[in-house]
Amino acid sequence: MTSQKKASYLFIALIFALGVLMPFMIKRYHLNMLTEIIVFALYAVSYNLLLGYAGLLSFGHAMFFGMGAFTVAVSLIHIPGLSMWNAVLLALAMTTVVGFITGGFLLRHKGAYFALLTLAFNSLFYAVATKWHKITGGDDGLSITRPDLNLGFTTIKMADLTNFYYVTLVVIGVAIVFSWYFTKTAMGQTVLLMRENEERMKFLGYNTNISRLILFTFTGALAGLAGAFYTLHFQFVSQSAISVDMTTTVLLMTFVGGTGTFWGPILGAFVYIILQNYLSDITDRWPLFMGLIFIVMVLVIPGGLSQIILSIRRLIPGKRNTDRPVAAEEASP
Amino acid sequence: MIEVEDIHSHYGKSHILHGVSLELKEGELVCLLGRNGVGKSTTLKSIMGMVRPTQGSIRFDGKELVGSQPYQIARLGVGYVPEDRRIFKSLTVHENLMMGVQKTKRGGASERVWTIDKIYGLFPNLRERRGNKGSHLSGGEQQMLTVARTLMGNPKLILIDEPTEGLAPLIVKDVLEMLATVRKSGVTVLMVEQNFKAAIKVADRFYIMGKGQMVFAGDMAALLAAEDVRKNYLEV
Amino acid sequence: MTDYLCIREIHKDFSGLKVLTGVDFTVSEKQRQAVIGPNGAGKTTLFNIISGRFKASSGSILFKGQDLSAKPAHVRNRLGLARSFQITNVFQELTVFENIRSGVRSRNGLRYNFFRKPDNNRRINERTEAIAEEVGLKGVMHVPASALSYGQQRALEIGITLSTEPELILLDEPTAGMTREETAQAISMIDRVTAGRTLIIIEHDMDVVFSLADTISVLHYGRILASDVPEKIRNDQRVKDAYLGEE
Amino acid sequence: MSEVPVFFLHGLAYAGLLFLVSAGLTLVFGMMNVLNFAHAAMYMLGAYFSFTLLRATGQFWLCLLVCPLFLFIIGALVERFLLRRVHTYGHLHELLLTFGLAYIMTELVKLIWGNFPLAVNIGGFLGQTVEFFGMIYPIYRIFIFGCAVIVGLSMAAILYKTRLGIILRAAVNDSEMVNALGFDVPLVFTGVFAFGAALSGLAGVIAGPLLTTYPGMAHEILIDAFVVIVVGGFGSLGGAVVASLLIGELQSFGVLLFPKLSLALVYLLMAAVLIIKPSGLFGEKQ
Amino acid sequence: METKKCICGFLAAALMFALPAFAAAQGTIKIGGTEPLSGTFKDIGERYLEGVQYAAKVINESGGLLGKKVEVVPIDSELKPDVATRKAQALILKDEVKFFCGGTGSSVGAAMAQLAEKENVIMFTYGMDAASMTGEKCNKNFFRPGGSTDGRSFALAQMIAKKGYKAVGIIGQDYSFGHEAVAAFKKKIAQISPSTKIVAEIFHPAGTKDYAPYASQLIAAKPDVIFTPNWGNDLTLLLKQGRPLGMKQKVFSYYINDEVMISSLGDDSLIVGDMGAEIYMLNIPTAKNKEFIEKFHKDKGYYPTWLRGKSYIATMFWAAAVKKAGTTDVAAVIRAWEGLSYDGPAGLWTMRACDHQAQVPYWAVEIVKENKFFKHAFEGPVTEIPAKDVEVPCAETGCKMGK
C-alpha cells in the first residue's frame, strides 16, 4: 500500500518537475500547445469523474467550460482593475451555482435520457450565448488581455507566455492533483458506489440524489476552472467554448484516453490536441478521422489508450496487475 | 422427446447449474421440485435458450438446442411459461393471446389444436376481459393468460415455471385442471413447482433438484419412499 | 414490551395487482421475528415497503414511535434500520473491504467529505475489519466481490447489512441457494452477529426459521395468516394448508 | 391579424418536417432505447440521394420511394453489423457509435457531393402555388404537412392495428419474452432501426426542395429533433406529434409576436415543460 | 500501480510532441490566409484563398517581393474566431509569420485584428465587412483593402433612392454584421431620401431553415423593394422560400453576384432583376480588369468572380505597401500602407490613414438572364458609384487609433 502511495507521489512530483523544466527544453510554439494541453487535461479529468467514475454520460459539459470561460472574459472586461485570481474565483463561483441549479433538473433522469437532456440544456446555453450579444459578444466573441499578476512584492507580466505557462501549470496542476486526491476521499469513494450500485447505497444511509448533485456540481466547477484558463490562455472566448462541439471534444479526449483510469483522460487530452494540431495541418478531413477513431475505439478498444497500455503491461512477465480498471462498459449508466 | 444431458449454466459470474440431466417422453407431465434458488428456473431457461449453457447438450426431437436463439427453439415447438408471468402489460388480453400465435408453419397432425375460440372456451374469464389491458388482470387471470398465450403457439412441449405461485387455492385448482386438460391434448409438460401437494396431483414423474444438481428422479411411489430426499430437499 | 416496530394496514397494488392486502403486525425490541409464507405471498414486497424501496399504497409504519411512511430509504437507514437482499446486491467491482466500509463510514458520517480519506480513518477501518471477521470474510478482504463464491457473496450481503450498525435488521432469505453445510454455518453466523438486535427474517428453510426466530408470522395472500411462537405455527393447520397446498 | 391563417399554415408545414425527422428518432428510441445521433446524418443522406436521383431522372415521386429504401438498407446494415455488436455494452457505446457514424456520414457527403448548397427544384404540380381563402400558398408546403399526416397515421395504424404492431409494442414491454414466444427479436430490432432510418431518409427527400441540400443540414435539424423528443416525451409517438405542432407553430408565431426571442423560444418551451413535467408532455414516468 | 503504466503513455505522447517543427524557410515572405476551409462555408473560403494565391503567383512570376518569394499559408479558421486565432498564434510562434489576411466572417476578423495588435503583426481583410472593424474596433495593425457595410449599404441606399422607391422592407441576419449593415442603410436613406419609409425591419437568426414566417411578414408590410445584407444560404433560402409565397419585389442585396449562390438557387427567375453593389465584378469595364480576367481564365480555366477578384486586388495592394516600405518590418509596412493608392482592375483604391479603411468605388449591378460568363443568370452591365459618394468622414467612423 505505502510503496504504491509513494510511487504515486513520486510520479506526480516527477511530472511537475518535468513541467517546470519544459520552457527551457521546448520552443515557444510547443510551450503554447502544452499550456493548451494542460487546460484541456483538467477539462477531461473533470469529465471522467462524471463518466468514468459515476457512469453519467453527459452531453452538456461544455455548459460549465463555457460558463467559466465567459465569466472570466466578461468580468475582466466589465470590472476595471479586477485581478486574475478574482476573475478565476468568480468563474468558479458561477459554475458552481449553475451546476447546482441545472443539476437539480438534469439529474432527475438517467442513462440515455440524461444524455439527451444535457444535450438540450447545452443547446439552450449556446442559444443564450449567441443571442445575448451585449454581454457575450455573440458571434464576435470577446477579446481580453491577461491582467498582470500582483504578488504583493512583485508583479509578474502575464503577457509573457512562459510566465503564464507556469501559472497554468501550478493552478491547473493543483486542481488535477486535487481531483486525483478526491477519488480517494470519502466523496470520491461514494461516487464509485454510485456507479456500482445506486440502489444499494440508499439502504446504507446515502442520499443518492445529493451525492449525484454534489458530484455534478464539483465536476462542473472543475470544468469551469478549465474554461477560465482557456479564456486566459487564448485571451479570447467565443460561443464555441459553450457549444456542443466542446462537449464532443472532451468526450473524445476522455474516451480516447480511456475512462477506466484516472490518468487516461489526461493522456487523451495530450494525444487529441497534438493529433488535432498535426492532422489539421495535413488534412482538412479531421472530422472524418475523428469519426473513424470513435467507431474503431467503440468496436475494438472500448477501454481507450490506457487499456492498450495496461494490456502491454500485462504481457510483461512477473508484473501481475492487481489493479481493477473499470472497463468502460461497466461505467455506462 | 427431450433429453437434457449434463448441462452447466452460469448467471453472470455465478455457476448455477452443475451438470443437470433430465429426460421427458412424449405426452408425459414431469414435475421438477426443489427449494428456492437451486436452479429449477435456470434449467427451464437453459432449455429455452434464454441462458446459454456453457457445457452439455439439450436435444429436442433429436435436434440440438444449445446455441439456438429462444425464438428458434420456440418455433421448433417449445412453449415457455415464465415464473413471473411476464404478460405484456400495455397490450390487451386479446393482443396478448395473439402474441402466442406463430407464423411459421410446422408439419404434423396436431397442427392448430389450440384456436382462439378453444382458448376462450377453456378460459371464459379471458373472453370476458379480452379488451382489458394486461395490467388490469388479477394474479390468477395473468397466470391463465400466460399459459393460454403459450398454448396459442401449439407447442409440443411446454415448460411451466411455478404456475401456482401466489395463487388462491381455488385458482390453484383451476390451474391444475387446466394443466390436466392441456396434457390430455397430447402436449408434453415440464413443470417447475414448489407446491408439493399440487404437484403430486398431476405429475407422472418427478425430479428433485438441490443446489444445481439432480438429486432424485422417479415416480410417485419412489418419491413417497424416498423420505430422506423429501426431508432434505423439500419439506419444512 | 413496547411496540418497537408497528405495521398497520399496509396495502400494496402493482398496477392493479394486489400484492399486500392489509398487513398488520408488531415487533418488539430485541425480538427475532420470522416471516414465512409460500412464494408470491408478498414477503419481499413487505420488506421493500418497510425498508423504503417502495411506497405502500396505503397504511403506516411506525418505528420507535416515528412514522416512516414518507421517509426515503436512506433516512430509514440512518434511523437504525438495515436490510439485506434476496438476490445478492453488493458492489460487484469493489473489494469486500470497500463494500463493508461503505456502510461503516456512512454510519460514521463520512459520506460526502471532500477532504478526508476513509483510508486514513483507523476507527472506520478497524470496525470494517471486525465486521469482515464476524461474517467470516477476513481472509478475502481485498478480493473484489465479483470474485467471491456464492456463499461468500451471501455472507458479504449480510456484512454490508451489518455495516451501518442497525438496531433493526431485515434479512431477506439470507440462505437462499446455499448448500446444507453452508446454511448451517450461516445460521450460526447470523445468530452471532444479530445478537442483541431486533431481527426480522424472511426464510423458506425451516431449519433456519426454527433455529433463529422466537416468533413466526405467516404471510399468505397478502396478509398475515397467523403469528405465534414456532411450536404453535408448526402445528397450525391453516399454515400447513397454506404451505403444502390444499388437499 | 389577417396574417394569422398564413402563419398557422407556415407552422403546420414546419411542424410536418419536424415530425418527419423526429418520428423515426423517437420510434428507435422508444423501442430500442438507442439515441441515434446519426439520425440527422441519415436524413441528410436521404436528401443527397434524392438530389442525385432527381437530377438523373427528374422524377420526384421516384425519389420519394427509392431513397427511403436506400436508407432502409443502410440502417439495416448499421444495426446488424455495428450497433448489435456493441449493444451488450450499454447505452454509452451505442451513443458513441452513432455519434462517430454521424461524423463519417457528414464527411463522406462532403467528399462526394462537395461542400456547398445544392438546389433541388421540383417543377410540376408540387412546384405550383394554390389559392384559397384569398391566400396564395405554395403547394409544396401543404404537401409536407400532408406527408407528415400520412406517415403519422400509417405508423399509428401499424402500431395499433396490425400484428406487427402488437409484436412491436410487446417488445417494448418485454423483448426477451417476445423472443421466447418464437419471434426473431433481433430481426425485429434490425427492422425497427432500418425503418427509422428510412423515415429519416424520407424526411430528407422532402426537406430537400424546401431547404437546400448542404452538409450542415444534419447538424441544424438534429437539435430541433431532440427538443421535439424531450418536449413530447421520450419515445412517445403521440408526444412527437404534439411537440412538433407546438414547436412549429411557436417558431412561426414567435416571428410575429416575439421577434427578439426567436431562437430561444423553443428552448424556453423545453425548459418550461421540463420544470412542469420532467418526463415530457406524453412521457411515461421512468 | 496506476502511475507506472502512465509513464509509458506520457513518453509515447512526448515522442509525438517532439516531432520536428517545420523549419522556417529562408527567403520567403509568408502570409497566413485565414479562411473557412472546412464546413458549410468552405467554398467561400477556398475562392477567397484562390485570389490570394493567384496574386502571390503573379508577384512571384514577376520577380517576387523585395526579392523574396511570397508564400501563402492556408489556415482553416472553421469560421470560428477562437480556432482562427489559435492557429494564427501557432504560426506566429512557429514560423514568425507577420502577415495575415482573410475574407470570411467578421467575427474571425475582429478576433484576428486584436491578435494582430497583441502580437504586432498585420492583418488585412478583403471580405470581412462589418464597419465597426475600421470604426470603433479599429487598430493600427488592421487594414481593410476592401468594402465595408457602410460603403455597401450607402451604395445600395443611393441606388434605391435614385430609382425613387418609397417603401423599403428590410430583412437581415441577427448578428453584428446584419445589424451594422441595416443601421448604415437606414442612416443613409434617411439622409438622401427622407420621404422613403422603412415599412419593415426584420432580423432572423443566421442559418434559419424556415423563412416562411419572415417572408410573410415582409410581404404583409407591402414594401416597394426589399433590402437585405443576407448572404450564402440565408439569401438562397429567403429567395427560394419567399418568392412562392408572393414576395415579388426587387431585392437589393449585398452579395448578389455570387455565382455559387445563383446556381444553387437552380431557378434564375427567382433572382433576375435583383440588384446589388460590389467592389469587384467581372463586368467592370476597365482595361486592367479585362486583362486580369483574361489571364486568370487562361491560367485556371474559370473566371475570377467577385471573391477571387477582391482578394486578388487586396493582396496586390498589400504587396504594393510592402514594396514601398522596402522591408517586412511591421511598423514600416504600416507607415507605408497608410495613404497609399493602388490602381487595379476595380478602379483606384486609396488606403486612408485615419481608420485603415480603403476608399474604393462601388459598382452597381442588376442580375440578368443572358451573360457571357455563365449559363445561369449573372451580372448585367455595371455602373460606378464613386468612392467619395459612399465615404464616411474620418470624424464619424468612431476609430481612435493608438499609434
Side-chain angles (χ1 to χ4, degrees):
Chain A
M1 262 322 236
T2 42
S3 73
Q4 191 178 325
K5 228 189 226 169
K6 249 186 222 159
S8 299
Y9 287 120
L10 204 71
F11 173 69
I12 290 169
L14 198 84
I15 289 287
F16 257 104
L18 205 66
V20 169
L21 291 177
M22 271 301 170
F24 304 104
M25 291 156 62
I26 57 177
K27 292 197 184 111
R28 267 161 54 79
Y29 164 66
H30 286 125
L31 194 64
N32 194 48
M33 209 194 286
L34 187 59
T35 317
E36 188 182 345
I37 289 171
I38 294 172
V39 170
F40 275 96
L42 176 63
Y43 186 31
V45 161
S46 77
Y47 190 72
N48 190 37
L49 286 180
L50 213 52
L51 178 64
Y53 281 78
L56 289 168
L57 174 62
S58 163
F59 273 95
H61 213 47
M63 279 190 281
F64 306 116
F65 186 81
M67 186 60 76
F70 271 111
T71 306
V72 162
V74 171
S75 60
L76 281 177
I77 288 170
H78 291 280
I79 309 173
L82 186 75
S83 76
M84 200 171 104
W85 297 135
N86 288 337
V88 170
L89 284 178
L90 261 177
L92 270 175
M94 193 73 184
T95 42
T96 307
V97 170
V98 169
F100 193 76
I101 294 169
T102 53
F105 288 115
L106 297 171
L107 294 169
R108 290 197 260 183
H109 296 275
K110 286 176 198 162
Y113 298 87
F114 176 74
L116 180 52
L117 267 188
T118 47
L119 180 81
F121 256 69
N122 204 143
S123 305
L124 170 68
F125 274 70
Y126 181 74
V128 170
T130 309
K131 197 76 195 155
W132 204 9
H133 194 275
K134 233 199 228 147
I135 297 295
T136 61
D139 265 53
D140 295 340
L142 297 172
S143 189
I144 57 140
T145 309
R146 284 193 289 258
D148 289 337
L149 203 57
N150 193 342
L151 292 178
F153 55 94
T154 178
T155 356
I156 302 177
K157 284 247 172 287
M158 276 298 108
D160 183 78
L161 180 61
T162 312
N163 290 347
F164 179 69
Y165 164 78
Y166 279 126
V167 171
T168 311
L169 181 70
V170 171
V171 176
I172 302 285
V174 165
I176 290 176
V177 171
F178 178 70
S179 304
W180 171 74
Y181 177 82
F182 167 81
T183 63
K184 319 266 174 204
T185 63
M187 184 64 210
Q189 296 284 306
T190 301
V191 171
L192 285 183
L193 300 183
M194 222 146 67
R195 181 192 66 202
E196 289 295 320
N197 195 340
E198 214 180 301
E199 176 74 25
R200 186 62 194 252
M201 281 175 76
K202 294 179 191 162
F203 299 97
L204 294 175
Y206 292 90
N207 185 337
T208 50
N209 293 334
I210 300 261
S211 305
R212 288 202 291 162
L213 187 56
I214 294 176
L215 177 79
F216 192 72
T217 310
F218 176 57
T219 57
L222 285 179
L225 180 63
F229 270 80
Y230 170 86
T231 300
L232 291 171
H233 174 52
F234 290 114
Q235 305 191 61
F236 182 82
V237 62
S238 72
Q239 81 225 84
S240 58
I242 205 164
S243 67
V244 175
D245 285 350
M246 197 52 96
T247 302
T248 323
T249 304
V250 77
L251 175 61
L252 194 60
M253 281 175 185
T254 311
F255 201 60
V256 165
T259 54
T261 63
F262 180 83
W263 306 104
I266 301 180
L267 185 64
F270 212 101
V271 170
Y272 179 93
I273 288 183
I274 289 168
L275 266 185
Q276 192 193 33
N277 268 285
Y278 287 110
L279 268 187
S280 64
D281 270 357
I282 304 165
T283 169
D284 57 353
R285 300 271 166 233
W286 167 234
L288 183 65
F289 283 97
M290 229 155 75
L292 284 173
I293 291 172
F294 250 110
I295 291 189
V296 170
M297 300 279 296
V298 172
L299 289 176
V300 187
I301 27 173
L305 289 178
S306 48
Q307 184 197 0
I308 300 177
I309 294 167
L310 281 177
S311 6
I312 293 171
R313 268 180 50 81
R314 283 212 187 86
L315 294 179
I316 302 169
K319 286 212 170 187
R320 282 216 32 226
N321 203 303
T322 51
D323 276 356
R324 289 169 290 107
V326 180
E329 61 263 30
E330 280 150 354
S332 69
Chain B
M1 161 146 242
I2 186 152
E3 267 175 275
V4 175
E5 211 180 302
D6 191 33
I7 55 167
H8 289 251
S9 290
H10 297 252
Y11 250 137
K13 280 169 185 162
S14 52
H15 195 165
I16 305 287
L17 301 185
H18 301 264
V20 168
S21 302
L22 59 82
E23 191 182 346
L24 266 78
K25 293 200 175 56
E26 187 138 12
E28 270 189 316
L29 196 160
V30 172
C31 188
L32 185 55
L33 294 158
R35 285 216 172 84
N36 255 14
V38 294
K40 304 186 297 292
S41 295
T42 308
T43 305
L44 293 196
K45 285 186 176 173
S46 300
I47 296 174
M48 203 58 215
M50 296 162 90
V51 172
R52 180 173 289 202
T54 49
Q55 205 181 307
S57 95
I58 301 168
R59 277 183 305 281
F60 176 69
D61 281 349
K63 283 186 209 79
E64 180 61 53
L65 297 188
V66 173
S68 294
Q69 291 277 329
Y71 73 89
Q72 293 165 325
I73 294 170
R75 287 178 185 176
L76 290 174
V78 183
Y80 173 63
V81 182
E83 180 183 11
D84 31 11
R85 290 163 199 148
R86 293 170 76 167
I87 55 162
F88 303 113
K89 292 199 170 77
S90 61
L91 269 54
T92 62
V93 167
H94 190 75
E95 285 172 335
N96 262 288
L97 288 174
M98 282 334 218
M99 280 301 293
V101 180
Q102 285 168 25
K103 240 193 238 155
T104 41
K105 292 268 183 294
R106 278 195 313 278
S110 65
E111 198 55 29
R112 292 276 162 263
V113 178
W114 295 96
T115 60
I116 189 83
D117 289 331
K118 209 166 163 191
I119 293 283
Y120 279 145
L122 189 61
F123 305 99
N125 270 11
L126 296 183
R127 187 200 291 276
E128 250 169 62
R129 313 202 61 169
R130 53 180 293 166
N132 287 35
K133 284 270 163 70
S135 54
H136 296 299
L137 298 185
S138 73
E141 286 168 332
Q142 291 194 2
Q143 186 62 56
M144 298 287 180
L145 182 56
T146 29
V147 174
R149 181 178 67 186
T150 307
L151 287 176
M152 288 297 288
N154 290 294
K156 294 188 229 167
L157 168 68
I158 297 190
L159 312 170
I160 302 187
D161 203 347
E162 302 214 21
T164 64
E165 180 188 328
L167 297 183
L170 224 65
I171 314 285
V172 170
K173 235 167 127 186
D174 283 354
V175 170
L176 292 180
E177 263 171 37
M178 172 193 74
L179 283 178
T181 317
V182 168
R183 191 269 183 86
K184 254 182 247 149
S185 74
V187 180
T188 314
V189 179
L190 174 59
M191 174 169 85
V192 162
E193 191 47 83
Q194 283 205 319
N195 187 333
F196 179 63
K197 287 193 181 163
I200 53 172
K201 272 188 233 164
V202 287
D204 300 325
R205 282 195 302 123
F206 303 88
Y207 282 100
I208 297 177
M209 278 183 85
K211 186 72 186 158
Q213 276 169 329
M214 284 301 170
V215 293
F216 172 85
D219 59 10
M220 172 104 68
L223 180 59
L224 290 175
E227 196 169 336
D228 223 30
V229 174
R230 257 168 40 222
K231 222 168 176 56
N232 275 339
Y233 293 100
L234 296 178
E235 285 178 11
V236 169
Chain C
M1 280 221 256
T2 52
D3 283 350
Y4 182 69
L5 179 72
C6 185
I7 288 161
R8 287 277 162 269
E9 272 301 304
I10 293 284
H11 287 257
K12 179 67 187 175
D13 295 5
F14 285 108
S15 50
L17 193 62
K18 292 188 171 70
V19 178
L20 297 181
T21 53
V23 175
D24 258 306
F25 77 104
T26 49
V27 179
S28 321
E29 194 163 3
K30 309 266 162 85
Q31 187 177 324
R32 291 157 159 261
Q33 165 95 32
V35 177
I36 64 169
N39 257 1
K43 302 183 296 289
T44 298
T45 306
L46 178 64
F47 258 34
N48 284 336
I49 286 170
I50 300 175
S51 62
R53 196 183 201 187
F54 300 153
K55 265 181 82 167
S57 307
S58 69
S60 68
I61 306 159
L62 291 169
F63 177 57
K64 295 196 286 186
Q66 266 184 309
D67 189 0
L68 293 186
S69 322
K71 295 203 159 59
H74 68 270
V75 174
R76 297 186 197 198
N77 177 272
R78 291 180 198 175
L79 289 171
L81 196 151
R83 67 167 295 180
S84 75
F85 288 80
Q86 182 184 349
I87 295 160
T88 309
N89 195 359
V90 300
F91 304 98
Q92 290 287 347
E93 293 300 312
L94 304 185
T95 63
V96 169
F97 186 78
E98 287 165 329
N99 262 285
I100 296 174
R101 193 172 65 184
S102 61
V104 176
R105 66 189 174 87
S106 168
R107 169 71 183 175
N108 285 279
L110 198 56
R111 297 188 191 102
Y112 318 122
N113 197 300
F114 263 62
F115 299 98
R116 284 171 58 201
K117 287 179 172 181
D119 275 350
N120 295 345
N121 192 314
R122 251 187 54 206
R123 202 158 60 96
I124 287 176
N125 290 332
E126 279 168 6
R127 186 63 200 133
T128 304
E129 272 182 51
I131 291 173
E133 182 151 28
E134 276 182 42
V135 295
L137 294 176
K138 187 141 194 236
V140 287
M141 250 180 8
H142 298 291
V143 172
S146 56
L148 295 180
S149 73
Y150 183 73
Q152 286 173 322
Q153 289 205 353
R154 296 303 298 168
L156 179 58
E157 182 67 46
I158 293 171
I160 295 176
T161 308
L162 289 175
S163 64
T164 55
E165 317 276 350
E167 309 174 24
L168 171 60
I169 300 174
L170 308 169
L171 296 182
D172 192 352
E173 297 201 28
T175 65
M178 285 187 176
T179 58
R180 281 188 87 73
E181 301 80 62
E182 284 174 332
T183 304
Q185 280 176 8
I187 293 171
S188 75
M189 187 261 279
I190 293 169
D191 195 31
R192 190 159 27 85
V193 298
T194 59
R197 310 187 210 219
T198 315
L199 176 70
I200 307 179
I201 184 167
I202 292 177
E203 197 38 90
H204 278 276
D205 191 326
M206 291 306 143
D207 287 348
V208 181
V209 173
F210 289 117
S211 40
L212 285 175
D214 46 42
T215 325
I216 296 176
S217 292
V218 183
L219 196 62
H220 196 37
Y221 301 131
R223 53 195 316 143
I224 300 288
L225 186 70
S227 245
D228 217 324
V229 292
E231 296 71 46
K232 291 207 175 148
I233 289 292
R234 206 194 274 269
N235 298 318
D236 191 313
Q237 189 55 45
R238 290 173 305 169
V239 176
K240 282 193 166 174
D241 290 345
Y243 244 76
L244 297 175
E246 307 228 358
E247 292 300 328
Chain D
M1 281 284 117
S2 60
E3 304 98 330
V4 169
V6 179
F7 276 78
F8 184 69
L9 282 182
H10 292 339
L12 285 187
Y14 192 63
L17 184 63
L18 272 182
F19 175 75
L20 285 171
V21 178
S22 49
L25 192 62
T26 204
L27 179 78
V28 169
F29 191 67
M31 302 277 320
M32 305 170 68
N33 211 2
V34 171
L35 190 53
N36 183 10
F37 268 91
H39 190 79
M42 291 172 166
Y43 148 90
M44 180 178 65
L45 279 183
Y48 273 99
F49 283 153
S50 168
F51 170 83
T52 302
L53 195 64
L54 191 63
R55 190 146 283 190
T57 64
Q59 295 295 315
F60 184 67
W61 298 103
L62 188 71
C63 299
L64 225 42
L65 279 176
V66 173
C67 297
L69 207 66
F70 265 127
L71 266 295
F72 186 90
I73 294 166
I74 291 177
L77 292 176
V78 165
E79 203 284 337
R80 180 63 191 82
F81 294 105
L82 296 174
L83 212 52
R84 194 181 291 181
R85 291 180 61 178
V86 301
H87 178 71
T88 45
Y89 295 141
H91 301 309
L92 174 63
H93 285 68
E94 288 168 344
L95 270 177
L96 293 176
L97 186 82
T98 58
F99 200 74
L101 275 175
Y103 266 114
I104 291 178
M105 285 177 183
T106 309
E107 283 307 304
L108 287 182
V109 160
K110 287 181 193 167
L111 269 177
I112 298 169
W113 282 281
N115 206 337
F116 37 82
L118 299 171
V120 179
N121 280 297
I122 40 159
F125 171 70
L126 285 177
Q128 309 293 311
T129 54
V130 66
E131 201 175 334
F132 58 105
F133 302 120
M135 292 187 286
I136 296 173
Y137 209 74
I139 290 174
Y140 195 74
R141 297 184 75 92
I142 299 167
F143 168 76
I144 293 176
F145 184 70
C147 283
V149 171
I150 291 167
V151 166
L153 287 180
S154 358
M155 280 175 77
I158 291 172
L159 273 180
Y160 292 98
K161 297 284 172 214
T162 67
R163 185 174 160 73
L164 179 64
I166 297 176
I167 298 169
L168 292 176
R169 282 184 293 139
V172 173
N173 274 188
D174 187 342
S175 63
E176 194 190 34
M177 198 57 226
V178 172
N179 197 336
L181 284 171
F183 298 98
D184 187 349
V185 171
L187 184 70
V188 169
F189 279 157
T190 306
V192 167
F193 192 82
F195 182 68
L199 273 180
S200 74
L202 180 69
V205 175
I206 290 172
L210 180 72
L211 317 172
T212 44
T213 303
Y214 59 104
M217 66 190 293
H219 190 74
E220 281 175 11
I221 204 96
L222 182 66
I223 304 281
D224 281 13
F226 279 163
V227 172
V228 168
I229 295 193
V230 171
V231 170
F234 303 109
S236 157
L237 198 61
V241 172
V242 174
S244 300
L245 283 172
L246 215 56
I247 291 171
E249 294 299 344
L250 191 70
Q251 291 263 40
S252 180
F253 284 100
V255 170
L256 195 63
L257 304 173
F258 322 100
K260 294 242 183 276
L261 284 173
S262 54
L263 197 65
L265 265 181
V266 172
Y267 295 112
L268 289 177
L269 170 75
M270 181 189 78
V273 167
L274 284 178
I275 290 167
I276 299 161
K277 202 160 179 296
S279 49
L281 291 176
F282 289 78
E284 278 170 35
K285 232 182 147 228
Q286 292 170 61
Chain E
M1 291 313 270
E2 213 180 63
T3 55
K4 273 193 210 155
K5 73 198 164 214
C6 292
I7 295 179
C8 330
F10 278 102
L11 285 181
L15 259 176
M16 300 179 59
F17 197 59
L19 279 178
F22 299 96
Q26 294 299 308
T28 62
I29 298 175
K30 286 193 179 174
I31 175 163
T34 23
E35 296 291 353
L37 300 175
S38 59
T40 315
F41 299 97
K42 181 182 172 180
D43 76 294
I44 291 182
E46 279 178 347
R47 280 183 286 162
Y48 269 134
L49 203 60
E50 273 176 38
V52 179
Q53 280 161 336
Y54 186 72
K57 189 176 164 217
V58 169
I59 294 166
N60 292 338
E61 277 170 3
S62 59
L65 190 57
L66 307 178
K68 293 177 182 171
K69 276 187 74 170
V70 173
E71 185 192 336
V72 181
V73 184
I75 302 169
D76 180 9
S77 72
E78 298 171 24
L79 204 62
K80 293 174 187 159
D82 54 325
V83 173
T85 47
R86 195 187 76 212
K87 291 182 179 171
Q89 177 132 35
L91 268 187
I92 295 169
L93 292 172
K94 194 164 75 175
D95 296 346
E96 288 172 8
V97 174
K98 287 180 190 165
F99 304 103
F100 291 89
C101 62
T104 322
S106 296
S107 53
V108 172
M112 284 298 296
Q114 270 157 325
L115 179 77
E117 192 180 22
K118 266 177 217 150
E119 300 285 343
N120 194 31
V121 295
I122 286 176
M123 166 75 193
F124 67 91
T125 182
Y126 28 79
M128 301 157 175
D129 285 351
S132 58
M133 293 168 70
T134 53
E136 61 264 28
K137 286 186 200 156
C138 75
N139 74 53
K140 67 175 173 23
N141 297 72
F142 178 71
F143 288 84
R144 180 153 55 197
S148 74
T149 48
D150 278 347
R152 215 177 298 268
S153 286
F154 288 3
L156 286 165
Q158 282 182 358
M159 289 159 67
I160 287 173
K162 209 183 269 173
K163 294 211 172 218
Y165 292 115
K166 290 299 169 207
V168 183
I170 298 176
I171 181 164
Q173 294 154 314
D174 190 8
Y175 71 107
S176 52
F177 164 78
H179 283 280
E180 283 184 26
V182 170
F185 177 81
K186 282 166 69 188
K187 181 178 152 199
K188 194 71 177 178
I189 202 101
Q191 219 175 60
I192 57 176
S193 173
S195 60
T196 302
K197 282 201 174 58
I198 307 296
V199 293
E201 186 179 343
I202 300 165
F203 291 101
H204 63 82
T208 292
K209 289 177 286 298
D210 187 8
Y211 280 84
Y214 300 103
S216 285
Q217 235 184 340
L218 259 183
I219 295 162
K222 299 199 169 58
D224 298 335
V225 68
I226 291 165
F227 165 78
T228 179
N230 277 12
W231 52 288
N233 220 25
D234 280 335
L235 182 55
T236 313
L237 287 182
L238 174 66
L239 294 171
K240 208 170 152 60
Q241 296 180 7
R243 293 294 193 214
L245 285 167
M247 193 181 84
K248 302 284 180 226
Q249 292 85 347
K250 236 185 205 324
V251 173
F252 281 72
S253 147
Y254 255 47
Y255 306 110
I256 203 81
N257 56 331
D258 177 352
E259 75 281 7
V260 171
M261 186 272 294
I262 293 173
S263 81
S264 82
L265 272 174
D267 181 358
D268 289 347
S269 68
L270 298 176
I271 196 164
V272 165
D274 290 346
M275 300 195 71
E278 189 40 283
I279 59 170
Y280 178 74
M281 291 186 186
L282 293 184
N283 267 348
I284 292 174
T286 61
K288 284 193 172 150
N289 191 31
K290 285 205 178 78
E291 189 193 332
F292 166 55
I293 293 172
E294 216 166 87
K295 276 175 90 176
F296 189 97
H297 191 262
K298 217 168 111 191
D299 209 39
K300 303 251 189 187
Y302 49 83
Y303 293 105
T305 45
W306 64 312
L307 300 170
R308 300 185 184 106
K310 289 200 286 184
S311 59
Y312 167 80
I313 300 170
T315 310
M316 296 305 281
F317 197 3
W318 161 79
V322 175
K323 206 166 166 186
K324 182 182 163 201
T327 163
T328 57
D329 177 68
V330 169
V333 175
I334 291 174
R335 254 179 282 125
W337 207 346
E338 288 178 347
L340 187 68
S341 286
Y342 174 73
D343 189 12
L348 187 71
W349 290 15
T350 305
M351 184 58 71
R352 195 158 70 176
C354 70
D355 59 353
H356 291 182
Q357 169 64 51
Q359 302 300 303
V360 302
Y362 282 78
W363 303 86
V365 70
E366 179 170 340
I367 297 301
V368 295
K369 180 101 193 72
E370 301 298 331
N371 63 84
K372 60 180 176 190
F373 302 107
F374 295 105
K375 279 188 202 135
H376 55 72
F378 200 57
E379 298 164 2
V382 299
T383 43
E384 181 176 358
I385 301 170
K388 64 170 180 10
D389 287 6
V390 295
E391 181 186 356
V392 183
C394 271
E396 289 176 23
T397 60
C399 171
K400 290 180 201 71
M401 201 174 290
K403 291 281 168 177

